[in-house]
Amino acid sequence: MRRLSLTSFLSLSAALHAATAAQNPCRCLYGDPSWPSQSEFAHLATQVSQPLIHPEPPAKPCYTSVNTSECVEVTNGWTDGNWRANQTGSMQSPNFETFTFPNGTVEECLLNTTLALPCGQGSVSAIGVDARSVGDIQAAVKFAAEHNLRVVVKNTGHDYCGRSAARGSFLVWTHNLKNITVHPSFTPAGAPINETFEYAITLGAGVQWHEAYAAANASGRTLVGGTSHGGSVGAAGGWLQGGGHSSLSASFGLGVDNVLEFSIVTSNGSYIVTNAHQYPDLFWALRGGGGGTFGVVISVTYRTRPTFPIMTVFLTATANTSTPNSGLSQAFTELVRITPQLTDQGWGGYAPFNNPTSNSTSFTVISIVPTISQDAAGQANATMTGYLVYLQELAANSTQSGNPADAVTLQGASTTSFASWYDWYTALWSTGEQEGIGLGAEVGSWLIPRDLVGSDHERVAQTLLSIPQAGWFMVAGGAVSNVTASDTGLNPAWRTAAAHVPFGFTWTEGTTLDEINALRDTLKSNIAKLRALAPESGAYLNEASLYEPDSAHSFFGSHYDQLRAIKAIYDPVDLFIVVEGVASNEWDGSLTCRKPT
């Protein structure tokens, strides 16, 4: 009897699953008559290595007593990204733990119990699997497909669209897949024997950046990865599958440009190792097509680079106003103008604007450049030094102008060297709390094209200056632009961008719905401002607005149709559907029922 190849099996499975999907237009949620019985869950429990988990909102212990040790732990950890990542029911932004009914009633579980509201499950998953192996995930996925469950995949809960939670859902929790393997020599599966990479690193789906960086550094290597205080973001999940920007992107590309291989379980339970030689269509899609969309990623193998020294600048420019022609406006406008030159030379980093107040507004520049080559380092130093001299002269002239509103104050306007990128990371980012963790949060973003900066940098700068807490992130250009747009499934707008502009707002518990809606209206207005600058560009899927009028174009651009076709092969039943992800527009707003065809 001839065995089917995995490709043939997938094609046959796709046809069978598509027929089944047509008969099951709605997912089964907790509380539905079709929800699996206790005996069925008990049978699942015999197939996995850990007891089934029953996630709860993280604040729930405080509803017993605020004086219990459990509540004290919750209170102490509430704004700690790594603590929240360790909780099965926690999202980094608690608003995504909540659920709003059609009548506007909100079910949630607040830390501030004095508000006298009941603790509800909200959007926290009802039950799930604590995955520790490929077999655990295969069992979980097969069970979910068999019972037509609403599935969410979660590692750390870092998701500004709440893709790691859904009311009444079945959770595949990958947080404890912590294996890290450093390969002195790595050949991708199916590749020619002479295609080897020195010191590649394989990370399990639950590895976080602080763990990955420490492991790479112990081997004298450097990884292109995310930067946030505490390093709590997952290194092998949504960050990567959505693109993955880094302070090193201008020098070495995005996360998707540094991946050698994925291992993944698809919706029929198949375990696949995919790279440029095996299932290249899936490899293409996973590099930018979005997390939780094509299957459950088990591990990722990245290329690494030898440790190298870096040059860095950390400065803050402060003034009384950022209105057009003010000193601060000129300082920021010049940064926008020279950004393409900076990123071409390898400078990468972040320039967030602080929220203007009645008497002060400021922006900060945190930027680095590898100094591997003396010639390249000299050119990069000359460009940045020129900008710093410009700022110093601007500050001096604005102070002498006699107009207090124009006066610019500078802090730290000089370059500093570090022996390695890891030294810089540990000095600035390895401790502390990531801004906004434990608060309600919504964000938006837009990619600003390089040609627009070249032709009208002043309009770009003035538009950004009108958006509170916007950021000018120099994580595009340079090496990011040197990759052909068709090489990965990533939104092609990244390849022509000069910079990535994220922005958003946060709120504390007790903020009224009217107040939150007013903030949302402002967010929508600011998104529209940036979209009007470059309507044919796009946005970053991982720092995404929930209010994009055409999310398929905004987040995937011309790659959407191809991504949808690949999803139909590897997930024909649409088991993996996430907010604003591929195929999500074919489902209702709650992603529970398919829209009629």
Side-chain angles (χ1 to χ4, degrees):
M1 181 177 178
R2 186 170 67 90
R3 290 183 62 185
L4 283 173
S5 68
L6 183 54
T7 302
S8 299
F9 177 73
L10 286 169
S11 298
L12 177 61
S13 177
L16 293 174
H17 283 176
T20 303
Q23 299 171 2
N24 297 288
C26 293
R27 294 285 183 237
C28 173
L29 305 180
Y30 175 74
D32 289 348
S34 57
W35 186 252
S37 66
Q38 288 186 357
S39 63
E40 287 170 318
F41 277 116
H43 179 65
L44 171 63
T46 67
Q47 298 176 305
V48 295
S49 64
Q50 304 295 313
L52 298 184
I53 53 177
H54 300 271
E56 294 182 340
K60 189 172 182 178
C62 295
Y63 285 74
T64 301
S65 169
V66 296
N67 297 317
T68 63
S69 59
E70 291 83 1
C71 183
V72 171
E73 178 190 339
V74 170
T75 302
N76 291 339
W78 194 257
T79 58
D80 183 330
N82 282 298
W83 181 86
R84 297 191 74 90
N86 289 332
Q87 314 307 309
T88 58
S90 176
M91 296 286 288
Q92 301 291 334
S93 301
N95 51 304
F96 295 115
E97 299 163 10
T98 70
F99 182 80
T100 303
F101 292 95
N103 66 1
T105 303
V106 179
E107 184 177 284
E108 56 194 341
C109 190
L110 303 179
L111 179 63
N112 185 357
T113 58
T114 63
L115 294 172
L117 296 172
C119 175
Q121 188 77 3
S123 291
V124 175
S125 298
I127 193 170
V129 169
D130 177 2
R132 307 290 179 104
S133 68
V134 172
D136 286 348
I137 292 182
Q138 288 177 308
V141 167
K142 289 177 181 178
F143 183 85
E146 177 185 354
H147 295 281
N148 193 35
L149 303 182
R150 172 80 161 89
V151 174
V152 295
V153 182
K154 175 175 176 282
N155 171 15
T156 66
H158 276 280
D159 195 296
Y160 288 117
C161 286
R163 299 180 181 102
S164 303
R167 184 173 178 81
S169 63
F170 177 76
L171 174 65
V172 181
W173 195 42
T174 64
H175 185 61
N176 289 311
L177 290 167
K178 294 287 193 180
N179 290 341
I180 299 177
T181 305
V182 177
H183 311 270
S185 179
F186 179 79
T187 300
I193 195 169
N194 61 347
E195 184 178 316
T196 61
F197 298 85
E198 290 187 350
Y199 288 97
I201 187 168
T202 298
L203 307 176
V207 174
Q208 295 164 267
W209 279 120
H210 71 92
E211 298 162 328
Y213 293 144
N217 184 68
S219 296
R221 308 295 289 187
T222 301
L223 270 169
V224 174
T227 309
S228 63
H229 286 292
S232 59
V233 175
W239 176 88
L240 171 61
Q241 294 167 62
H245 68 63
S246 168
S247 57
L248 292 170
S249 287
S251 293
F252 304 119
L254 298 164
V256 294
D257 303 324
N258 287 274
V259 178
L260 301 175
E261 190 167 272
F262 291 91
S263 67
I264 182 173
V265 170
T266 60
S267 62
N268 65 4
S270 296
Y271 173 71
I272 293 175
V273 176
T274 175
N275 53 47
H277 305 278
Q278 293 187 165
Y279 309 101
D281 56 344
L282 181 58
F283 186 56
W284 182 88
L286 287 170
R287 290 176 294 153
T293 297
F294 300 93
V296 182
V297 168
I298 309 296
S299 68
V300 173
T301 301
Y302 285 101
R303 70 177 72 218
T304 68
R305 290 172 174 80
T307 297
F308 46 77
I310 67 164
M311 185 188 309
T312 180
V313 62
F314 187 103
L315 69 87
T316 298
T318 305
N320 291 339
T321 179
S322 59
T323 56
N325 300 319
S326 69
L328 196 73
S329 173
Q330 292 178 57
F332 183 68
T333 300
E334 179 65 5
L335 177 65
V336 171
R337 185 187 73 82
I338 66 171
T339 289
Q341 184 179 356
L342 290 172
T343 54
D344 282 351
Q345 293 173 349
W347 283 99
Y350 318 98
F353 241 89
N354 297 329
N355 201 13
T357 66
S358 59
N359 59 5
S360 177
T361 186
S362 65
F363 74 91
T364 298
V365 177
I366 309 168
S367 189
I368 63 171
V369 63
T371 54
I372 302 170
S373 157
Q374 286 190 349
D375 289 343
Q379 293 176 0
N381 186 40
T383 303
M384 183 59 78
T385 299
Y387 178 60
L388 298 180
V389 169
Y390 172 85
L391 291 182
Q392 290 159 354
E393 293 176 349
L394 184 67
N397 292 337
S398 66
T399 301
Q400 296 170 6
S401 69
N403 183 355
D406 278 343
V408 176
T409 301
L410 291 178
Q411 291 179 295
S414 61
T415 59
T416 305
S417 295
F418 283 84
S420 70
W421 179 89
Y422 189 71
D423 286 350
W424 172 80
Y425 168 78
T426 54
L428 270 70
W429 305 97
S430 63
T431 59
E433 297 174 351
Q434 185 175 345
E435 185 177 354
I437 298 297
L439 297 174
E442 291 186 10
V443 303
S445 69
W446 205 248
L447 294 163
I448 305 301
R450 182 179 180 125
D451 59 1
L452 178 62
V453 171
S455 64
D456 203 350
H457 66 277
E458 292 182 348
R459 184 162 67 102
V460 171
Q462 292 307 313
T463 301
L464 264 68
L465 289 169
S466 71
I467 299 176
Q469 292 187 318
W472 181 253
F473 282 16
M474 295 181 289
V475 293
V480 177
S481 299
N482 293 335
V483 177
T484 303
S486 60
D487 284 354
T488 67
L490 183 71
N491 187 343
W494 268 104
R495 305 306 181 184
T496 55
H500 159 56
V501 176
F503 50 93
F505 66 95
T506 60
W507 67 92
T508 58
E509 291 182 347
T511 303
T512 67
L513 184 58
D514 286 344
E515 291 170 326
I516 294 171
N517 284 334
L519 292 169
R520 284 175 177 152
D521 288 342
T522 300
L523 179 69
K524 294 174 186 178
S525 174
N526 290 333
I527 294 168
K529 288 180 185 179
L530 286 177
R531 194 185 301 113
L533 279 177
E536 295 307 312
S537 187
Y540 180 36
L541 180 64
N542 288 342
E543 289 165 357
S545 161
L546 292 163
Y547 313 108
E548 283 297 335
D550 184 357
S551 60
H553 169 75
S554 295
F555 302 130
F556 307 105
S558 59
H559 286 167
Y560 182 81
D561 289 343
Q562 188 173 353
L563 289 166
R564 183 64 187 94
I566 294 169
K567 180 174 173 61
I569 296 171
Y570 296 95
D571 181 23
V573 295
D574 287 348
L575 186 66
F576 304 108
I577 295 292
V578 298
V579 175
E580 294 187 326
V582 174
S584 64
N585 56 355
E586 300 167 25
W587 291 71
D588 64 13
S590 67
L591 303 182
T592 303
C593 296
R594 297 176 190 271
K595 295 177 182 177
T597 56

